[in-house]
Amino acid sequence: MEFSKHANAADRSYEDFDPLFVWRREEARDTLELHLPGFRRDQIRIQINHVGYLVISGERHMDGSRWKRFRKEFEIPSYCNDDAIHGNMMQSILSVVMPKKSRLTHQEEQELVTEKRENYKEETETTTKEGIIAEDMAHEFEEHDNVRLPQDTTRDVALKFMLVMVLILVIASYVADISKSLMAQGASYFHN
């Protein structure tokens, strides 16, 4: 983009457009194809926002101070692995590939459950009281073998971490305010 030959960004006039797109659903992945005539790869951004939506945007110079731009948001299907999303641009078609999360075979699931159960029993046999409670819980766990607990995604873990950090900062700020208040009251008490 030749910014020096064109007017400032404030003097630009934008023509917004809504690109045509197609979803292609396959067994191993979903592919989103956008028709972006006249756009080059370096004029397009693909991001995942804080809400978990796929945001595709771009702008390109047309002539003078006229620019063409677009912005599209798509909800990422829950069965797709958002850490493995990637894009490819070829002949004005942007293809965004969203691989699906791998599913364990039934045998692998059973092996995983058995391994977890064995590890759980080994850890709980250290004391008799805890061992009795653990056996009850293990029995409960055996009854619900078909229930698969969801794993936290990287984004979920990051959001939880940020929430904890914000809470710590709020508590620290509150404690600092209380201590300042107590110090001021103590100083005025001893000063009088």
Side-chain angles (χ1 to χ4, degrees), residues 66-93:
R66 291 183 38 218
W67 289 71
K68 192 170 198 171
R69 68 180 175 187
F70 73 95
R71 178 183 170 92
K72 292 288 285 184
E73 291 187 11
F74 301 94
E75 185 173 0
I76 300 171
S78 60
Y79 54 81
C80 288
N81 181 359
D82 53 354
D83 292 329
I85 293 175
H86 61 279
N88 183 28
M89 183 80 170
M90 183 178 283
Q91 298 177 354
S92 298
I93 303 291

Side-chain angles (χ1 to χ4, degrees), residues 94-106:
L94 173 65
S95 298
V96 180
V97 179
M98 294 174 266
K100 293 183 180 177
K101 295 175 183 173
S102 63
R103 296 189 53 87
L104 297 175
T105 64
H106 183 67

Side-chain angles (χ1 to χ4, degrees), residues 138-191:
H139 178 69
E140 228 176 85
F141 183 73
E142 288 174 9
E143 292 175 0
H144 302 291
D145 278 347
N146 295 335
V147 176
R148 186 164 178 201
L149 300 175
Q151 294 181 345
D152 288 341
T153 62
T154 305
R155 183 176 347 138
D156 293 338
V157 171
L159 287 173
K160 289 175 184 175
F161 177 75
M162 287 190 321
L163 179 63
V164 168
M165 293 305 296
V166 167
L167 287 173
I168 289 171
L169 290 173
V170 167
I171 291 169
S173 174
Y174 179 73
V175 168
D177 289 345
I178 296 262
S179 64
K180 286 178 186 176
S181 173
L182 289 174
M183 292 297 287
Q185 287 176 356
S188 68
Y189 177 76
F190 287 112
H191 189 58

Side-chain angles (χ1 to χ4, degrees), residues 91-126:
Q91 298 177 354
S92 298
I93 303 291
L94 173 65
S95 298
V96 180
V97 179
M98 294 174 266
K100 293 183 180 177
K101 295 175 183 173
S102 63
R103 296 189 53 87
L104 297 175
T105 64
H106 183 67
Q107 181 182 0
E108 290 172 334
E109 279 186 35
Q110 291 302 325
E111 290 172 2
L112 186 62
V113 167
T114 304
E115 182 180 330
K116 284 182 180 180
R117 192 178 306 136
E118 288 171 2
N119 289 341
Y120 184 74
K121 284 181 181 179
E122 287 174 9
E123 291 174 3
T124 56
E125 290 176 355
T126 55

Side-chain angles (χ1 to χ4, degrees), residues 27-29 32 35 49 55 59 80 128 139 161 163 174 176 186-187 192:
E27 186 175 329
R29 67 182 164 268
L32 175 65
H35 181 62
N49 68 11
V55 179
E59 66 178 40
C80 288
T128 56
H139 178 69
F161 177 75
L163 179 63
Y174 179 73
N192 293 334

